[in-house]
Amino acid sequence: MSNTQRIGVPVAAMLIFLLLWEWLVWFNGWPNYKMASPTDIGPAIWQYRWLFLEYGWDTLWRTVVGLALSVIVGTLLGMIMGFSKLMRDALYPLLVGFNAVPKATVVPVIALIFVGMHDMNTILIAFMISFFPIAVSISIGLSTLEPEYRDILRALGASRFTIFRKIALPKTLPEFFGALKVAVTLAFIGTNLMEIVEPHGKGLGHLFDSGKINADYPLMFAVLIALALLGIVLFYVVVILERIFAGWSERAT
């Protein structure tokens, strides 16, 4: 697929989606307090453009920091579980149980524990909601590593870290980037959950909550579009990194 197709196809799909959205609102005669249309959203973004820039940056950097923490912690946990069946049996139930708890119920608890620490609260929730798929993908990749490779390197005196860097890491990269694509969207969910709950915080979630309080529905939908665009940007950053470090695993179509 050419670069023109790689860019043109997603852009065309988004334009078609916006046109269908606009037509659906027009066809049903919905007022903007029931369903804002794309033509309602544009003026709202322009009216609050400086807030979108400021709060969008707050949301983005908190999400990126939370995602970075999830990569570090998720990779370490994945290595521990991947190299040790005992630790895998011990940690998997804990991780699954933790991940099964709805994070919306955890957000108020974190907000109360760290009152006034808006940045830390938001980063922490973004991390908590996104590290699980990374840990699982690394663990599965390492636990399915061919034992003969591991035995040869151990016989040559290689440490576990060397085995991970030379053989296990390249093998797990496709699974890692697949999990990272999922973690990107999850991190945004965590960030915005906390921003909506925090009464004096910043970020697009707080701007959405302000629109809800003031019954400014075009603003609310504009925030949703802004969040979607940020998510798409981060997703394609991961795609670019995947092509750089694990491009060999991509099948030609």
Side-chain angles (χ1 to χ4, degrees):
M1 183 180 290
S2 66
N3 289 331
T4 303
Q5 286 178 307
R6 291 181 188 276
I7 298 172
V9 171
V11 170
M14 285 189 283
L15 289 175
I16 292 171
F17 170 76
L18 292 174
L19 288 172
L20 288 174
W21 181 359
E22 184 74 30
W23 175 84
L24 183 65
V25 175
W26 170 82
F27 180 78
N28 289 282
W30 288 331
N32 63 11
Y33 60 81
K34 184 172 185 179
M35 172 66 78
S37 67
T39 50
D40 295 321
I41 291 171
I45 292 177
W46 180 254
Q47 181 182 355
Y48 299 101
R49 58 190 180 279
W50 301 117
L51 281 178
F52 272 99
L53 288 174
E54 179 185 352
Y55 286 3
W57 169 247
D58 286 329
T59 295
L60 181 61
W61 79 259
R62 290 163 169 173
T63 302
V64 170
V65 173
L67 188 63
L69 286 176
S70 73
V71 169
I72 295 170
V73 175
T75 300
L76 290 175
L77 284 174
M79 289 177 64
I80 292 171
M81 294 188 295
F83 281 126
S84 171
K85 187 178 184 305
L86 176 64
M87 295 304 296
R88 186 162 63 249
D89 292 340
L91 292 177
Y92 248 122
L94 295 175
L95 292 178
V96 171
F98 176 80
N99 194 59
V101 175
K103 298 306 178 288
T105 61
V106 178
V107 167
V109 177
I110 298 298
L112 286 173
I113 293 176
F114 303 104
V115 176
M117 303 174 67
H118 307 304
D119 291 339
M120 178 179 175
N121 291 344
T122 310
I123 291 169
L124 184 58
I125 289 296
F127 155 73
M128 291 171 65
I129 204 171
S130 62
F131 82 95
F132 180 77
I134 296 174
V136 171
S137 68
I138 295 292
S139 172
I140 292 174
L142 293 178
S143 62
T144 56
L145 181 66
E146 290 80 357
E148 55 268 22
Y149 293 143
R150 191 162 42 200
D151 293 341
I152 290 172
L153 285 176
R154 282 179 178 172
L156 294 173
S159 64
R160 289 191 172 186
F161 179 76
T162 302
I163 295 172
F164 175 76
R165 184 169 58 88
K166 293 291 187 181
I167 294 181
L169 180 59
K171 182 182 182 299
T172 57
L173 278 178
E175 291 87 355
F176 167 76
F177 279 109
L180 188 56
K181 291 173 185 176
V182 176
V184 164
T185 57
L186 293 177
F188 268 108
I189 293 172
T191 301
N192 285 277
L193 280 174
M194 181 57 75
E195 288 174 349
I196 290 172
V197 169
E198 289 275 41
H200 304 294
K202 291 184 178 181
L204 291 176
H206 181 69
L207 190 59
F208 178 87
D209 196 49
S210 298
K212 182 181 69 174
I213 293 171
N214 296 304
D216 190 341
Y217 295 94
L219 175 59
M220 293 169 63
F221 279 92
V223 170
L224 296 179
I225 293 296
L227 288 170
L229 290 175
L230 286 178
I232 291 170
V233 168
L234 265 190
F235 178 87
Y236 277 101
V237 168
V238 174
V239 169
I240 292 170
L241 292 174
E242 181 181 26
R243 287 175 183 163
I244 293 172
F245 295 105
W248 50 266
S249 65
E250 185 177 352
R251 295 182 180 179
T253 55

